[in-house]
Amino acid sequence: MSPIAPDYAFATPFLNPPASPIRSLMPYAMRPGTISLAGGYPAQELFDVEGLSVASTQVMARLGGCLQYSNIDGQASLREQLARLSAARGLRCNPDTELAVTGGSQQALALLSRVMLQPGDHAVIETPAFPNSVQALRYTGAAVHTVPSGPQGIDLDALDELAARVKPKMVCVVASFSNPCGATLARERRLRLLELAVRHRFLVVEDDPYSELRFDGEAVPPIAALAEGEARHWAVYLSSMSKTMAPALRIGWLVAPAEIRRRCVGAKAADDMACSAWIQEVVAQYLANGRYDEHVPRIRAAYGLRCDAMAGALARELDGRIRFSKPQGGMFFWARLTGDVDATRLLPYAIEHEVVYVPGKAFYANPAEADLHAMRMSFATMNEAQIAEGMVRLGRALTACEANEPVSVSLAA
Ligand SMILES: Cc1ncc(COP(=O)(O)O)c(C=O)c1O
């Protein structure tokens, strides 16, 4: 290969690909002995290996029929099961015309973005948000605007004002246990969001990987499930098996008005032709066996204990130095350092003390809006004892940082 790269004429959205601050933390998070609260991974020891093995064995017995290309919109068996699962959450749909299987909810958002957006268009996402969602919107070349989100979810007054001004085609939210805020949009706020969608004629896109991980309080139906009359044309629902079954399956789904769904399926044909028929059959079999309904409560219970452990240890070890609101589900605490030290300055000290979190600024589409004192801590992958120890270490790291002690770890700015 030539030592000097040619001046490739990259497409505009790919000219300056952003570095991933979360991925760059992973080498530290993987160090033996380190307590990592940084990842967005679900707990590996809670994967239902036995249930998936049983389903796999059943599918193996009819493997010959599962090695062909799948229908682009997904295997009929899986679409039927996913329609049943969506209905259990309150969202009824036709599995043949309104639902399609996707490669995780990430691909669902990427397909939808491609179908709806082009340069010159406007889209809105709450901030802070999952960086890959922001990128899915940005890669279309559309202008991506942000609306602040907090413990109650997206600020609807700010959205109303922005929508009147920029006329977005899509507004994206994680309405249940958002990543990174852990926030949930209450039912009446979901209804108001639908009203805004109808008035301003934008699609409300709810990305929902987390709602089934509720360990406290009452379930709130998906936004699309609350849509009546004209609002039904403006609501799209995306979900995923990544946090409740396993991310390696790469199975998610979308529920959308038929005209939108049809175009997303066309985009998927151009993207990856279809998800693996084999894996889809395993997921469908697992669901048909009733294992999903049996297993998800176990994950929920374990995460509930871990969340309690984090809330207790934060209050005990960092009383007054970190503020937080306790989520009712999902995997994340969004916490805020109350003193002069910000989350980026603290991080090398934390790494030295063998505990890792993600500074909140990684989740802001617009760096100028970032809350530099915020941090995201996942309680999903560590057990209660590790979480408690992690908070002890974080307290020590904060003390060392406040005292300006020398630190051996240096991180790129
Ligand atoms: C808000 C959000 N959307 C989408 C995803 C990706 O999910 P999937 O594995 O289904 O593509 C994640 C994963 O962390 C997420 O937090």
Side-chain angles (χ1 to χ4, degrees), residues 12 29 77 108 121 166 189 207 224 233 252 255 259 261 273 279 299 301 322 349 390:
T12 306
S77 57
D121 287 340
V166 306
R189 296 168 69 83
D207 183 11
H233 301 301
V255 178
E259 283 302 305
R261 180 259 197 202
M273 307 270 286
I279 296 286
I299 304 176
I322 290 187
Y349 289 88

Side-chain angles (χ1 to χ4, degrees), residues 55-73:
S56 297
T57 306
Q58 288 168 284
V59 170
M60 270 302 181
R62 49 185 169 87
L63 185 61
C66 310
L67 294 175
Q68 196 48 274
Y69 286 112
S70 168
N71 294 334
I72 302 162
D73 61 352

Side-chain angles (χ1 to χ4, degrees), residues 55 77-78 80-85 241 245 251 253 280-293:
S77 57
L78 182 56
E80 208 158 288
Q81 288 296 333
L82 293 177
R84 186 193 60 76
L85 188 58
M241 287 300 180
M245 282 180 72
I251 294 291
W253 71 103
Q280 290 184 69
E281 288 296 334
V282 171
V283 175
Q285 185 69 59
Y286 182 86
L287 289 162
N289 290 349
R291 291 294 293 233
Y292 185 91
D293 298 332

Side-chain angles (χ1 to χ4, degrees), residues 23 43 56 69 83 97 124 168 189 197 218 231 238 244 299 316 365 405:
R23 249 173 281 145
S56 297
Y69 286 112
T97 59
V124 173
R189 296 168 69 83
E218 279 196 13
L238 319 177
T244 47
I299 304 176
R316 205 168 49 244
E405 284 179 16

Side-chain angles (χ1 to χ4, degrees), residues 40 42 85 89 104-106 108-109 126 130 133 173-179 183 205-214 222 237-247 250-253 292 296 299 303 329-332:
L85 188 58
R89 297 176 190 177
S105 75
Q106 182 63 38
L109 181 62
E126 61 193 330
F130 180 49
S133 305
V173 293
V174 177
S176 297
F177 318 128
S178 67
N179 176 8
V205 182
E206 177 182 3
D207 183 11
D208 181 28
Y210 299 110
S211 66
E212 289 211 341
L213 302 179
R214 176 179 282 282
Y237 179 74
L238 319 177
S239 193
S240 171
M241 287 300 180
S242 291
K243 312 299 182 186
T244 47
M245 282 180 72
R250 305 309 305 135
I251 294 291
W253 71 103
Y292 185 91
V296 173
I299 304 176
Y303 284 5
M331 304 187 347
F332 305 112

